[in-house]
Amino acid sequence: MDYHKTLTTERLTLRPPRPGDEADLQAIHGDPEVMRYFSEPAWTDPERPARQIAADAADFAAREQFRFAIVLNDTGRQIGNCGLCRLHWPNRRGEVGYALNRAYWGKGYMNEALHALLRFAFVDLDMHRLEADIDPRNTASTGALERLGFQREGLLRERWIVGGEICDSVLYGLLRREWAAHPGENR
Ligand SMILES: CC(C)(COP(=O)(O)OP(=O)(O)OC[C@H]1O[C@@H](n2cnc3c(N)ncnc32)[C@H](O)[C@@H]1OP(=O)(O)O)[C@@H](O)C(=O)NCCC(=O)NCCS
């Protein structure tokens, strides 16, 4: 399987994580508002960014999962990340995940990054179906998915217990043929 390790869009470069990304990564995942609907709290351990970068870089190289750093071309700084995990090659499906530094919300950056990620998944990796598992209260995230054509497929009740709080999940799905009908459109 041949695939692109760097994806480019008008304003962004998506590339594998690497040492040097620690401060930008901490700025994203150290923010309790960004982490509000994650299954773990905001990062406080100073070693955590380096550990995550090492794990993500190794997973990327081994094609276990693909987490891209989203870099703003104008500044060269990482403003977020997005990726594919829980890849199930026999069924050609995987799950998308993403987070953006709060200072960059509301500017269409994740929309732009996810367009590139979807193309990577459906063209480079030949995926058939992508999924996302989202807290239904996370309307910024459900909005981002719906703009890309993901369909809300079902509610999974009380699926996560995060810091003692019991949370539902909504499962979103996007099929390759649905994406192929509108590959570059901003919906
Ligand atoms: C989910 C998340 C990435 C969405 O960020 P976002 O900036 O709203 O996402 P998008 O890139 O799709 O941007 C859409 C917004 O930008 C606006 N926008 C501005 N310029 C735009 C452009 N050129 N193209 C598209 N949208 C644009 C849209 O109008 C929309 O604003 P609205 O939500 O007020 O209607 C962000 O809220 C986040 O990081 N949340 C925390 C992490 C998280 O919960 N991740 C998901 C769980 S795995």
PDB file of all heavy atoms in Angstrom, residues 132-168:
ATOM      1  N   ALA A 132     -17.457   7.864  13.391  1.00  0.00           N
ATOM      2  CA  ALA A 132     -17.079   8.738  14.500  1.00  0.00           C
ATOM      3  C   ALA A 132     -18.049   8.488  15.646  1.00  0.00           C
ATOM      4  O   ALA A 132     -19.241   8.268  15.419  1.00  0.00           O
ATOM      5  CB  ALA A 132     -17.128  10.198  14.077  1.00  0.00           C
ATOM      6  N   ASP A 133     -17.501   8.498  16.827  1.00  0.00           N
ATOM      7  CA  ASP A 133     -18.256   8.206  18.052  1.00  0.00           C
ATOM      8  C   ASP A 133     -18.195   9.484  18.899  1.00  0.00           C
ATOM      9  O   ASP A 133     -17.142   9.835  19.416  1.00  0.00           O
ATOM     10  CB  ASP A 133     -17.562   7.013  18.717  1.00  0.00           C
ATOM     11  CG  ASP A 133     -17.993   6.763  20.144  1.00  0.00           C
ATOM     12  OD1 ASP A 133     -18.818   7.520  20.678  1.00  0.00           O
ATOM     13  OD2 ASP A 133     -17.464   5.800  20.738  1.00  0.00           O
ATOM     14  N   ILE A 134     -19.324  10.186  18.992  1.00  0.00           N
ATOM     15  CA  ILE A 134     -19.322  11.554  19.523  1.00  0.00           C
ATOM     16  C   ILE A 134     -20.334  11.692  20.654  1.00  0.00           C
ATOM     17  O   ILE A 134     -21.433  11.132  20.581  1.00  0.00           O
ATOM     18  CB  ILE A 134     -19.747  12.536  18.392  1.00  0.00           C
ATOM     19  CG1 ILE A 134     -18.832  12.399  17.173  1.00  0.00           C
ATOM     20  CG2 ILE A 134     -19.819  13.975  18.857  1.00  0.00           C
ATOM     21  CD1 ILE A 134     -17.451  12.933  17.382  1.00  0.00           C
ATOM     22  N   ASP A 135     -19.983  12.480  21.660  1.00  0.00           N
ATOM     23  CA  ASP A 135     -20.974  12.837  22.677  1.00  0.00           C
ATOM     24  C   ASP A 135     -22.023  13.737  22.015  1.00  0.00           C
ATOM     25  O   ASP A 135     -21.662  14.741  21.384  1.00  0.00           O
ATOM     26  CB  ASP A 135     -20.276  13.578  23.825  1.00  0.00           C
ATOM     27  CG  ASP A 135     -21.209  13.801  24.997  1.00  0.00           C
ATOM     28  OD1 ASP A 135     -22.308  14.368  24.797  1.00  0.00           O
ATOM     29  OD2 ASP A 135     -20.846  13.419  26.118  1.00  0.00           O
ATOM     30  N   PRO A 136     -23.309  13.384  22.113  1.00  0.00           N
ATOM     31  CA  PRO A 136     -24.331  14.176  21.405  1.00  0.00           C
ATOM     32  C   PRO A 136     -24.370  15.644  21.831  1.00  0.00           C
ATOM     33  O   PRO A 136     -24.847  16.497  21.089  1.00  0.00           O
ATOM     34  CB  PRO A 136     -25.650  13.468  21.753  1.00  0.00           C
ATOM     35  CG  PRO A 136     -25.341  12.513  22.848  1.00  0.00           C
ATOM     36  CD  PRO A 136     -23.868  12.239  22.830  1.00  0.00           C
ATOM     37  N   ARG A 137     -23.819  15.966  23.006  1.00  0.00           N
ATOM     38  CA  ARG A 137     -23.802  17.369  23.444  1.00  0.00           C
ATOM     39  C   ARG A 137     -22.696  18.169  22.749  1.00  0.00           C
ATOM     40  O   ARG A 137     -22.667  19.392  22.840  1.00  0.00           O
ATOM     41  CB  ARG A 137     -23.605  17.426  24.960  1.00  0.00           C
ATOM     42  CG  ARG A 137     -24.761  16.807  25.729  1.00  0.00           C
ATOM     43  CD  ARG A 137     -24.404  16.616  27.194  1.00  0.00           C
ATOM     44  NE  ARG A 137     -23.264  15.708  27.359  1.00  0.00           N
ATOM     45  CZ  ARG A 137     -22.694  15.413  28.514  1.00  0.00           C
ATOM     46  NH1 ARG A 137     -23.142  15.958  29.614  1.00  0.00           N
ATOM     47  NH2 ARG A 137     -21.671  14.572  28.568  1.00  0.00           N
ATOM     48  N   ASN A 138     -21.790  17.447  22.085  1.00  0.00           N
ATOM     49  CA  ASN A 138     -20.653  18.107  21.439  1.00  0.00           C
ATOM     50  C   ASN A 138     -21.076  18.608  20.046  1.00  0.00           C
ATOM     51  O   ASN A 138     -20.696  18.068  19.012  1.00  0.00           O
ATOM     52  CB  ASN A 138     -19.477  17.118  21.337  1.00  0.00           C
ATOM     53  CG  ASN A 138     -18.187  17.785  20.922  1.00  0.00           C
ATOM     54  OD1 ASN A 138     -18.169  18.974  20.608  1.00  0.00           O
ATOM     55  ND2 ASN A 138     -17.112  17.016  20.907  1.00  0.00           N
ATOM     56  N   THR A 139     -21.850  19.689  20.058  1.00  0.00           N
ATOM     57  CA  THR A 139     -22.461  20.145  18.803  1.00  0.00           C
ATOM     58  C   THR A 139     -21.425  20.731  17.836  1.00  0.00           C
ATOM     59  O   THR A 139     -21.643  20.714  16.624  1.00  0.00           O
ATOM     60  CB  THR A 139     -23.581  21.167  19.076  1.00  0.00           C
ATOM     61  OG1 THR A 139     -23.039  22.195  19.909  1.00  0.00           O
ATOM     62  CG2 THR A 139     -24.760  20.526  19.793  1.00  0.00           C
ATOM     63  N   ALA A 140     -20.302  21.238  18.343  1.00  0.00           N
ATOM     64  CA  ALA A 140     -19.245  21.717  17.427  1.00  0.00           C
ATOM     65  C   ALA A 140     -18.739  20.545  16.596  1.00  0.00           C
ATOM     66  O   ALA A 140     -18.484  20.658  15.398  1.00  0.00           O
ATOM     67  CB  ALA A 140     -18.103  22.354  18.209  1.00  0.00           C
ATOM     68  N   SER A 141     -18.634  19.385  17.250  1.00  0.00           N
ATOM     69  CA  SER A 141     -18.111  18.210  16.564  1.00  0.00           C
ATOM     70  C   SER A 141     -19.151  17.572  15.645  1.00  0.00           C
ATOM     71  O   SER A 141     -18.833  17.200  14.510  1.00  0.00           O
ATOM     72  CB  SER A 141     -17.636  17.194  17.617  1.00  0.00           C
ATOM     73  OG  SER A 141     -17.037  16.105  16.993  1.00  0.00           O
ATOM     74  N   THR A 142     -20.389  17.462  16.112  1.00  0.00           N
ATOM     75  CA  THR A 142     -21.415  16.881  15.234  1.00  0.00           C
ATOM     76  C   THR A 142     -21.624  17.800  14.019  1.00  0.00           C
ATOM     77  O   THR A 142     -21.813  17.324  12.905  1.00  0.00           O
ATOM     78  CB  THR A 142     -22.750  16.640  15.983  1.00  0.00           C
ATOM     79  OG1 THR A 142     -23.219  17.866  16.542  1.00  0.00           O
ATOM     80  CG2 THR A 142     -22.589  15.618  17.089  1.00  0.00           C
ATOM     81  N   GLY A 143     -21.522  19.106  14.231  1.00  0.00           N
ATOM     82  CA  GLY A 143     -21.644  20.052  13.110  1.00  0.00           C
ATOM     83  C   GLY A 143     -20.523  19.857  12.108  1.00  0.00           C
ATOM     84  O   GLY A 143     -20.750  19.865  10.896  1.00  0.00           O
ATOM     85  N   ALA A 144     -19.304  19.676  12.615  1.00  0.00           N
ATOM     86  CA  ALA A 144     -18.147  19.472  11.722  1.00  0.00           C
ATOM     87  C   ALA A 144     -18.349  18.218  10.873  1.00  0.00           C
ATOM     88  O   ALA A 144     -18.055  18.208   9.679  1.00  0.00           O
ATOM     89  CB  ALA A 144     -16.863  19.369  12.547  1.00  0.00           C
ATOM     90  N   LEU A 145     -18.877  17.156  11.491  1.00  0.00           N
ATOM     91  CA  LEU A 145     -19.104  15.905  10.745  1.00  0.00           C
ATOM     92  C   LEU A 145     -20.216  16.066   9.719  1.00  0.00           C
ATOM     93  O   LEU A 145     -20.100  15.611   8.579  1.00  0.00           O
ATOM     94  CB  LEU A 145     -19.464  14.780  11.717  1.00  0.00           C
ATOM     95  CG  LEU A 145     -18.331  14.316  12.632  1.00  0.00           C
ATOM     96  CD1 LEU A 145     -18.877  13.382  13.696  1.00  0.00           C
ATOM     97  CD2 LEU A 145     -17.219  13.632  11.840  1.00  0.00           C
ATOM     98  N   GLU A 146     -21.299  16.709  10.145  1.00  0.00           N
ATOM     99  CA  GLU A 146     -22.449  16.846   9.227  1.00  0.00           C
ATOM    100  C   GLU A 146     -22.090  17.706   8.025  1.00  0.00           C
ATOM    101  O   GLU A 146     -22.524  17.430   6.908  1.00  0.00           O
ATOM    102  CB  GLU A 146     -23.665  17.383   9.999  1.00  0.00           C
ATOM    103  CG  GLU A 146     -24.258  16.295  10.886  1.00  0.00           C
ATOM    104  CD  GLU A 146     -25.260  16.794  11.933  1.00  0.00           C
ATOM    105  OE1 GLU A 146     -25.640  17.979  11.884  1.00  0.00           O
ATOM    106  OE2 GLU A 146     -25.645  15.976  12.801  1.00  0.00           O
ATOM    107  N   ARG A 147     -21.243  18.735   8.229  1.00  0.00           N
ATOM    108  CA  ARG A 147     -20.790  19.555   7.097  1.00  0.00           C
ATOM    109  C   ARG A 147     -20.045  18.720   6.061  1.00  0.00           C
ATOM    110  O   ARG A 147     -20.013  19.049   4.895  1.00  0.00           O
ATOM    111  CB  ARG A 147     -19.850  20.668   7.589  1.00  0.00           C
ATOM    112  CG  ARG A 147     -20.533  21.993   7.845  1.00  0.00           C
ATOM    113  CD  ARG A 147     -19.524  23.106   8.104  1.00  0.00           C
ATOM    114  NE  ARG A 147     -18.849  22.931   9.386  1.00  0.00           N
ATOM    115  CZ  ARG A 147     -19.387  23.278  10.562  1.00  0.00           C
ATOM    116  NH1 ARG A 147     -20.573  23.846  10.603  1.00  0.00           N
ATOM    117  NH2 ARG A 147     -18.728  23.077  11.683  1.00  0.00           N
ATOM    118  N   LEU A 148     -19.435  17.622   6.512  1.00  0.00           N
ATOM    119  CA  LEU A 148     -18.655  16.767   5.603  1.00  0.00           C
ATOM    120  C   LEU A 148     -19.494  15.650   4.999  1.00  0.00           C
ATOM    121  O   LEU A 148     -18.980  14.845   4.229  1.00  0.00           O
ATOM    122  CB  LEU A 148     -17.476  16.153   6.369  1.00  0.00           C
ATOM    123  CG  LEU A 148     -16.390  17.161   6.748  1.00  0.00           C
ATOM    124  CD1 LEU A 148     -15.564  16.634   7.912  1.00  0.00           C
ATOM    125  CD2 LEU A 148     -15.495  17.462   5.557  1.00  0.00           C
ATOM    126  N   GLY A 149     -20.760  15.573   5.391  1.00  0.00           N
ATOM    127  CA  GLY A 149     -21.635  14.564   4.812  1.00  0.00           C
ATOM    128  C   GLY A 149     -21.792  13.314   5.657  1.00  0.00           C
ATOM    129  O   GLY A 149     -22.443  12.353   5.233  1.00  0.00           O
ATOM    130  N   PHE A 150     -21.197  13.282   6.859  1.00  0.00           N
ATOM    131  CA  PHE A 150     -21.416  12.134   7.743  1.00  0.00           C
ATOM    132  C   PHE A 150     -22.897  12.066   8.138  1.00  0.00           C
ATOM    133  O   PHE A 150     -23.530  13.096   8.364  1.00  0.00           O
ATOM    134  CB  PHE A 150     -20.590  12.270   9.025  1.00  0.00           C
ATOM    135  CG  PHE A 150     -19.164  11.812   8.912  1.00  0.00           C
ATOM    136  CD1 PHE A 150     -18.199  12.625   8.316  1.00  0.00           C
ATOM    137  CD2 PHE A 150     -18.768  10.573   9.409  1.00  0.00           C
ATOM    138  CE1 PHE A 150     -16.878  12.213   8.215  1.00  0.00           C
ATOM    139  CE2 PHE A 150     -17.450  10.156   9.314  1.00  0.00           C
ATOM    140  CZ  PHE A 150     -16.505  10.981   8.716  1.00  0.00           C
ATOM    141  N   GLN A 151     -23.402  10.847   8.238  1.00  0.00           N
ATOM    142  CA  GLN A 151     -24.795  10.643   8.644  1.00  0.00           C
ATOM    143  C   GLN A 151     -24.852  10.150  10.086  1.00  0.00           C
ATOM    144  O   GLN A 151     -24.048   9.297  10.478  1.00  0.00           O
ATOM    145  CB  GLN A 151     -25.423   9.561   7.774  1.00  0.00           C
ATOM    146  CG  GLN A 151     -25.277   9.846   6.319  1.00  0.00           C
ATOM    147  CD  GLN A 151     -26.612   9.869   5.608  1.00  0.00           C
ATOM    148  OE1 GLN A 151     -27.643   9.583   6.200  1.00  0.00           O
ATOM    149  NE2 GLN A 151     -26.576  10.205   4.350  1.00  0.00           N
ATOM    150  N   ARG A 152     -25.810  10.668  10.814  1.00  0.00           N
ATOM    151  CA  ARG A 152     -26.038  10.218  12.189  1.00  0.00           C
ATOM    152  C   ARG A 152     -26.761   8.878  12.111  1.00  0.00           C
ATOM    153  O   ARG A 152     -27.858   8.790  11.565  1.00  0.00           O
ATOM    154  CB  ARG A 152     -26.906  11.240  12.919  1.00  0.00           C
ATOM    155  CG  ARG A 152     -27.110  10.932  14.379  1.00  0.00           C
ATOM    156  CD  ARG A 152     -28.001  11.983  15.030  1.00  0.00           C
ATOM    157  NE  ARG A 152     -27.282  13.205  15.307  1.00  0.00           N
ATOM    158  CZ  ARG A 152     -27.155  13.725  16.542  1.00  0.00           C
ATOM    159  NH1 ARG A 152     -27.701  13.139  17.583  1.00  0.00           N
ATOM    160  NH2 ARG A 152     -26.498  14.853  16.722  1.00  0.00           N
ATOM    161  N   GLU A 153     -26.134   7.820  12.619  1.00  0.00           N
ATOM    162  CA  GLU A 153     -26.662   6.470  12.401  1.00  0.00           C
ATOM    163  C   GLU A 153     -27.317   5.856  13.631  1.00  0.00           C
ATOM    164  O   GLU A 153     -28.106   4.929  13.517  1.00  0.00           O
ATOM    165  CB  GLU A 153     -25.536   5.552  11.916  1.00  0.00           C
ATOM    166  CG  GLU A 153     -25.009   5.976  10.541  1.00  0.00           C
ATOM    167  CD  GLU A 153     -23.908   5.081  10.029  1.00  0.00           C
ATOM    168  OE1 GLU A 153     -23.176   4.495  10.852  1.00  0.00           O
ATOM    169  OE2 GLU A 153     -23.764   4.982   8.805  1.00  0.00           O
ATOM    170  N   GLY A 154     -26.952   6.338  14.787  1.00  0.00           N
ATOM    171  CA  GLY A 154     -27.580   5.735  15.955  1.00  0.00           C
ATOM    172  C   GLY A 154     -27.067   6.296  17.264  1.00  0.00           C
ATOM    173  O   GLY A 154     -25.999   6.912  17.319  1.00  0.00           O
ATOM    174  N   LEU A 155     -27.862   6.081  18.292  1.00  0.00           N
ATOM    175  CA  LEU A 155     -27.502   6.529  19.641  1.00  0.00           C
ATOM    176  C   LEU A 155     -27.133   5.309  20.472  1.00  0.00           C
ATOM    177  O   LEU A 155     -27.872   4.325  20.506  1.00  0.00           O
ATOM    178  CB  LEU A 155     -28.700   7.240  20.287  1.00  0.00           C
ATOM    179  CG  LEU A 155     -28.491   7.665  21.730  1.00  0.00           C
ATOM    180  CD1 LEU A 155     -27.591   8.901  21.802  1.00  0.00           C
ATOM    181  CD2 LEU A 155     -29.832   7.976  22.401  1.00  0.00           C
ATOM    182  N   LEU A 156     -25.955   5.367  21.098  1.00  0.00           N
ATOM    183  CA  LEU A 156     -25.520   4.293  21.981  1.00  0.00           C
ATOM    184  C   LEU A 156     -25.600   4.851  23.399  1.00  0.00           C
ATOM    185  O   LEU A 156     -24.856   5.769  23.750  1.00  0.00           O
ATOM    186  CB  LEU A 156     -24.101   3.838  21.629  1.00  0.00           C
ATOM    187  CG  LEU A 156     -23.954   3.064  20.315  1.00  0.00           C
ATOM    188  CD1 LEU A 156     -24.073   3.973  19.103  1.00  0.00           C
ATOM    189  CD2 LEU A 156     -22.641   2.335  20.272  1.00  0.00           C
ATOM    190  N   ARG A 157     -26.488   4.302  24.187  1.00  0.00           N
ATOM    191  CA  ARG A 157     -26.782   4.883  25.491  1.00  0.00           C
ATOM    192  C   ARG A 157     -25.710   4.551  26.531  1.00  0.00           C
ATOM    193  O   ARG A 157     -25.241   3.435  26.615  1.00  0.00           O
ATOM    194  CB  ARG A 157     -28.140   4.383  25.976  1.00  0.00           C
ATOM    195  CG  ARG A 157     -29.299   4.823  25.078  1.00  0.00           C
ATOM    196  CD  ARG A 157     -30.565   4.103  25.471  1.00  0.00           C
ATOM    197  NE  ARG A 157     -30.335   2.667  25.467  1.00  0.00           N
ATOM    198  CZ  ARG A 157     -30.943   1.806  26.282  1.00  0.00           C
ATOM    199  NH1 ARG A 157     -31.826   2.234  27.166  1.00  0.00           N
ATOM    200  NH2 ARG A 157     -30.676   0.530  26.211  1.00  0.00           N
ATOM    201  N   GLU A 158     -25.341   5.565  27.307  1.00  0.00           N
ATOM    202  CA  GLU A 158     -24.475   5.407  28.489  1.00  0.00           C
ATOM    203  C   GLU A 158     -23.256   4.557  28.172  1.00  0.00           C
ATOM    204  O   GLU A 158     -22.937   3.599  28.870  1.00  0.00           O
ATOM    205  CB  GLU A 158     -25.297   4.848  29.654  1.00  0.00           C
ATOM    206  CG  GLU A 158     -26.495   5.748  29.932  1.00  0.00           C
ATOM    207  CD  GLU A 158     -27.234   5.426  31.221  1.00  0.00           C
ATOM    208  OE1 GLU A 158     -26.763   4.566  31.980  1.00  0.00           O
ATOM    209  OE2 GLU A 158     -28.269   6.076  31.451  1.00  0.00           O
ATOM    210  N   ARG A 159     -22.558   4.926  27.107  1.00  0.00           N
ATOM    211  CA  ARG A 159     -21.452   4.124  26.592  1.00  0.00           C
ATOM    212  C   ARG A 159     -20.140   4.430  27.294  1.00  0.00           C
ATOM    213  O   ARG A 159     -19.243   3.606  27.340  1.00  0.00           O
ATOM    214  CB  ARG A 159     -21.323   4.406  25.101  1.00  0.00           C
ATOM    215  CG  ARG A 159     -20.328   3.532  24.405  1.00  0.00           C
ATOM    216  CD  ARG A 159     -20.702   3.333  22.971  1.00  0.00           C
ATOM    217  NE  ARG A 159     -19.865   2.322  22.361  1.00  0.00           N
ATOM    218  CZ  ARG A 159     -18.839   2.583  21.571  1.00  0.00           C
ATOM    219  NH1 ARG A 159     -18.516   3.818  21.296  1.00  0.00           N
ATOM    220  NH2 ARG A 159     -18.134   1.600  21.056  1.00  0.00           N
ATOM    221  N   TRP A 160     -19.992   5.662  27.801  1.00  0.00           N
ATOM    222  CA  TRP A 160     -18.736   6.083  28.417  1.00  0.00           C
ATOM    223  C   TRP A 160     -19.004   6.568  29.838  1.00  0.00           C
ATOM    224  O   TRP A 160     -20.058   7.156  30.097  1.00  0.00           O
ATOM    225  CB  TRP A 160     -18.116   7.248  27.637  1.00  0.00           C
ATOM    226  CG  TRP A 160     -17.717   6.933  26.239  1.00  0.00           C
ATOM    227  CD1 TRP A 160     -18.453   7.168  25.109  1.00  0.00           C
ATOM    228  CD2 TRP A 160     -16.493   6.335  25.799  1.00  0.00           C
ATOM    229  NE1 TRP A 160     -17.754   6.757  24.004  1.00  0.00           N
ATOM    230  CE2 TRP A 160     -16.552   6.250  24.391  1.00  0.00           C
ATOM    231  CE3 TRP A 160     -15.346   5.872  26.465  1.00  0.00           C
ATOM    232  CZ2 TRP A 160     -15.508   5.719  23.623  1.00  0.00           C
ATOM    233  CZ3 TRP A 160     -14.317   5.342  25.707  1.00  0.00           C
ATOM    234  CH2 TRP A 160     -14.404   5.267  24.311  1.00  0.00           C
ATOM    235  N   ILE A 161     -18.033   6.328  30.713  1.00  0.00           N
ATOM    236  CA  ILE A 161     -18.084   6.929  32.050  1.00  0.00           C
ATOM    237  C   ILE A 161     -16.797   7.719  32.196  1.00  0.00           C
ATOM    238  O   ILE A 161     -15.704   7.149  32.286  1.00  0.00           O
ATOM    239  CB  ILE A 161     -18.218   5.870  33.157  1.00  0.00           C
ATOM    240  CG1 ILE A 161     -19.469   5.018  32.898  1.00  0.00           C
ATOM    241  CG2 ILE A 161     -18.292   6.548  34.522  1.00  0.00           C
ATOM    242  CD1 ILE A 161     -19.678   3.881  33.891  1.00  0.00           C
ATOM    243  N   VAL A 162     -16.920   9.041  32.145  1.00  0.00           N
ATOM    244  CA  VAL A 162     -15.747   9.914  32.127  1.00  0.00           C
ATOM    245  C   VAL A 162     -15.751  10.740  33.401  1.00  0.00           C
ATOM    246  O   VAL A 162     -16.650  11.558  33.603  1.00  0.00           O
ATOM    247  CB  VAL A 162     -15.765  10.842  30.891  1.00  0.00           C
ATOM    248  CG1 VAL A 162     -14.495  11.670  30.844  1.00  0.00           C
ATOM    249  CG2 VAL A 162     -15.942  10.048  29.611  1.00  0.00           C
ATOM    250  N   GLY A 163     -14.757  10.511  34.241  1.00  0.00           N
ATOM    251  CA  GLY A 163     -14.687  11.240  35.501  1.00  0.00           C
ATOM    252  C   GLY A 163     -15.972  11.081  36.306  1.00  0.00           C
ATOM    253  O   GLY A 163     -16.435  12.029  36.936  1.00  0.00           O
ATOM    254  N   GLY A 164     -16.563   9.897  36.276  1.00  0.00           N
ATOM    255  CA  GLY A 164     -17.783   9.634  37.034  1.00  0.00           C
ATOM    256  C   GLY A 164     -19.058  10.032  36.300  1.00  0.00           C
ATOM    257  O   GLY A 164     -20.156   9.713  36.754  1.00  0.00           O
ATOM    258  N   GLU A 165     -18.926  10.744  35.195  1.00  0.00           N
ATOM    259  CA  GLU A 165     -20.125  11.183  34.455  1.00  0.00           C
ATOM    260  C   GLU A 165     -20.469  10.156  33.372  1.00  0.00           C
ATOM    261  O   GLU A 165     -19.623   9.792  32.553  1.00  0.00           O
ATOM    262  CB  GLU A 165     -19.842  12.543  33.794  1.00  0.00           C
ATOM    263  CG  GLU A 165     -21.053  13.143  33.124  1.00  0.00           C
ATOM    264  CD  GLU A 165     -20.720  14.415  32.320  1.00  0.00           C
ATOM    265  OE1 GLU A 165     -19.533  14.638  32.004  1.00  0.00           O
ATOM    266  OE2 GLU A 165     -21.663  15.148  32.004  1.00  0.00           O
ATOM    267  N   ILE A 166     -21.712   9.696  33.381  1.00  0.00           N
ATOM    268  CA  ILE A 166     -22.153   8.704  32.395  1.00  0.00           C
ATOM    269  C   ILE A 166     -22.628   9.441  31.138  1.00  0.00           C
ATOM    270  O   ILE A 166     -23.460  10.346  31.234  1.00  0.00           O
ATOM    271  CB  ILE A 166     -23.273   7.823  32.986  1.00  0.00           C
ATOM    272  CG1 ILE A 166     -22.722   7.071  34.204  1.00  0.00           C
ATOM    273  CG2 ILE A 166     -23.809   6.850  31.946  1.00  0.00           C
ATOM    274  CD1 ILE A 166     -23.733   6.222  34.932  1.00  0.00           C
ATOM    275  N   CYS A 167     -22.067   9.047  29.979  1.00  0.00           N
ATOM    276  CA  CYS A 167     -22.319   9.799  28.739  1.00  0.00           C
ATOM    277  C   CYS A 167     -22.811   8.877  27.630  1.00  0.00           C
ATOM    278  O   CYS A 167     -22.326   7.763  27.460  1.00  0.00           O
ATOM    279  CB  CYS A 167     -21.022  10.449  28.237  1.00  0.00           C
ATOM    280  SG  CYS A 167     -20.180  11.453  29.462  1.00  0.00           S
ATOM    281  N   ASP A 168     -23.765   9.399  26.843  1.00  0.00           N
ATOM    282  CA  ASP A 168     -24.204   8.713  25.628  1.00  0.00           C
ATOM    283  C   ASP A 168     -23.205   8.962  24.502  1.00  0.00           C
ATOM    284  O   ASP A 168     -22.374   9.876  24.568  1.00  0.00           O
ATOM    285  CB  ASP A 168     -25.560   9.266  25.162  1.00  0.00           C
ATOM    286  CG  ASP A 168     -26.694   8.958  26.137  1.00  0.00           C
ATOM    287  OD1 ASP A 168     -26.543   8.040  26.965  1.00  0.00           O
ATOM    288  OD2 ASP A 168     -27.736   9.634  26.066  1.00  0.00           O
TER     289      ASP A 168
END
